[in-house]
Amino acid sequence: MQAATSRPTFDVKPNQHPMPEAERAKAFESLGFGTLFSDHMAVIRWNVDKGWHSAEITARAPFQIDPASSVLHYAQEIFEGMKAYRTADGRAVLFRPEENARRFAASAERMAMPEIPEEIFLEAVERLVRIDSKWIPDGDGSLYLRPFMFASEVFLGVRPSRDYIFCVIASPVGPYFKGGAKAVSIWVSEHYSRAAPGGTGAAKCGGNYASSLVAQAEAAARGCDQVVFLDAAEHRWVEELGGMNVFFVMEDGSLVTPPLSGTILPGITRASLIALARDQGLTVHERPYSFEDWKADAQSGRLKEAFACGTAAVVAGIGAVKFTGGEFRIGGGETGPVTNKLREDLVSVQRGRSNDPHGWVKAIDGV
Ligand code: PLP
Ligand code: COI
């Protein structure tokens, strides 16, 4: 399904009506997540005959798509989430962007979509950050980047589309959770599953999130910040949250996190924290952990801390867990010291405050 690909040349058309400086400064005073957008977007089109073509950086604007565009019917859509940070010494940097490019390619393969070559993906992201570099907040904020691709062929038959649009948009963001750095509360979804073996759990496709929303709404109705899913086959093993991976910190100082069995997203934050924990001398077990054990370990004190992690959420301590028929607390409901140290280690690398032994940070030239 892959047409021959030559690297398209970007046509750069700067926005003639960018947001005035004062308006942006005002908006930056109260940054939430994903509600404010930068002046530009990157767009590249793909067609079965032409491959990747018509690359441009242009003013952010609505797409005009036909009502029969196949994405609107069969949800052939994938996305990524990554951030650009402003370092204290004034650089604009990305964190492990090649990992997002690779995961995007893996998601594309699973969804029978064309793979965008890593260098084209990265060029689109870097060009957008360069032209919208004023949109990277200082301090604790960051510029959240959302590369995505959808099927745009006007066709109602059920087969892979022959046309796609790849796009990157950018959104200056503050904390993902309204409570900021406070520990979050979690609802355990024992009824709904997120992904089954052989399904799309390891791909970052919109459909996974669509099917998670009813469980997330259930969580919100119970006053919880996020939902955690159990495995689809036995409803027994902890998998991941609606938009984050999960870790447990045990009494002996070791960490446990569910393995990448194909039903959860291989988080880049997850992989980075495993490496940073091992750098600290901690033992990390990637192994199944049951909800029964979670409850029992929280009660007995064998479980000291739990946290969620992802690009948007960074690292968030889990203080309370609710489920049908009960609830329990972890670590007195506060974010624990192991979680805080891992968060600090990660954020220090991402923001260029500590040296970067793994070579994860990529500076964007000319910003
Ligand atoms: N799991 C899900 C379902 C997610 O949506 C995300 C967020 O991207 C993650 C895990 C964490 O992945 P990453 O650390 O690469 O952002
Ligand atoms: C991310 O962390 O980038 C995510 O995609 C999670 C959520 C915002 C969907």
Side-chain angles (χ1 to χ4, degrees):
M1 91 149 303
Q2 182 79 67
T5 294
S6 59
R7 189 162 172 168
T9 307
F10 278 81
D11 188 7
V12 180
K13 295 183 263 185
N15 188 334
Q16 296 306 306
H17 305 284
M19 185 183 281
E21 197 86 36
E23 203 178 314
R24 190 176 53 245
K26 181 100 196 93
F28 272 25
E29 285 170 13
S30 54
L31 286 175
F33 184 85
T35 49
L36 177 69
F37 297 94
S38 72
D39 292 320
H40 295 88
M41 61 183 186
V43 181
I44 316 176
R45 290 168 192 269
W46 187 92
N47 166 272
V48 72
D49 299 317
K50 294 193 211 163
W52 295 102
H53 67 96
S54 305
E56 55 181 2
I57 302 290
T58 180
R60 203 184 84 85
F63 287 118
Q64 233 192 2
I65 58 170
D66 192 281
S69 291
S70 45
V71 66
L72 299 178
H73 304 271
Y74 310 124
Q76 218 189 350
E77 189 270 354
I78 58 172
F79 67 97
E80 267 304 321
M82 52 206 291
K83 283 175 171 172
Y85 306 89
R86 178 70 69 190
T87 61
D89 61 1
R91 291 174 301 147
V93 301
L94 296 169
F95 182 71
R96 310 187 75 179
E98 1 27 72
E99 294 299 324
N100 295 96
R102 281 179 208 141
R103 189 170 63 190
F104 197 70
S107 298
E109 187 184 14
R110 176 62 184 84
M111 300 297 286
M113 297 167 90
E115 282 176 34
I116 185 163
E118 190 173 316
E119 64 278 10
I120 304 178
F121 178 100
L122 294 176
E123 183 175 355
V125 168
E126 286 176 25
R127 279 181 178 274
L128 181 64
V129 174
R130 211 171 282 129
I131 200 165
D132 279 341
S133 63
K134 295 190 293 274
W135 286 87
I136 309 174
D138 290 327
D140 288 342
S142 53
L143 186 63
Y144 184 77
L145 300 160
R146 174 50 65 84
F148 63 102
M149 172 163 59
F150 61 91
S152 55
E153 185 179 352
V154 179
F155 179 66
L156 294 183
V158 183
R159 59 144 170 79
S161 171
R162 294 169 189 267
D163 299 299
Y164 295 88
I165 295 176
F166 169 79
C167 179
V168 191
I169 54 174
S171 173
V173 296
Y176 185 74
F177 291 110
K178 284 201 182 71
K182 246 182 61 206
V184 297
S185 54
I186 301 291
W187 166 251
V188 183
S189 177
E190 291 170 274
H191 175 66
Y192 297 110
S193 298
R194 178 181 172 276
T200 57
K204 206 159 165 61
C205 59
N208 288 344
Y209 296 80
S211 71
S212 78
L213 295 179
V214 65
Q216 177 60 34
E218 218 175 61
R222 273 139 177 113
C224 292
D225 297 297
Q226 266 279 318
V227 59
V228 64
F229 290 99
L230 305 180
D231 75 293
E234 297 180 71
H235 292 272
R236 180 173 172 210
W237 306 103
V238 180
E239 295 229 299
E240 64 178 327
L241 277 57
M244 286 144 236
N245 293 116
V246 62
F247 281 77
F248 303 93
V249 183
M250 312 311 291
E251 194 177 28
D252 64 0
S254 67
L255 270 66
V256 173
T257 192
L260 300 180
S261 55
T263 53
I264 68 171
L265 195 77
I268 296 161
T269 317
R270 175 189 179 280
S272 307
L273 290 170
I274 290 175
L276 291 172
R278 288 182 176 149
D279 290 350
Q280 286 182 25
L282 300 176
T283 303
V284 185
H285 302 285
E286 296 180 68
R287 66 161 174 88
Y289 188 59
S290 70
F291 180 46
E292 278 313 303
D293 283 346
W294 189 2
K295 267 191 287 195
D297 291 344
Q299 223 130 47
S300 71
R302 208 174 98 75
L303 176 71
K304 290 294 177 203
E305 303 176 30
F307 62 86
C309 66
T311 299
V314 195
V315 174
I318 297 173
V321 180
K322 289 191 189 174
F323 56 100
T324 308
E327 60 182 279
F328 58 88
R329 290 181 146 239
I330 304 167
E334 305 289 328
T335 302
V338 175
T339 303
N340 278 329
K341 169 88 174 92
L342 280 169
R343 182 188 163 92
E344 185 48 37
D345 282 5
L346 176 70
V347 171
S348 297
V349 175
Q350 288 173 333
R351 295 182 177 276
R353 293 201 294 262
S354 61
N355 64 14
D356 177 20
H358 298 278
W360 287 337
V361 168
K362 182 163 194 241
I364 298 188
D365 303 333
V367 179

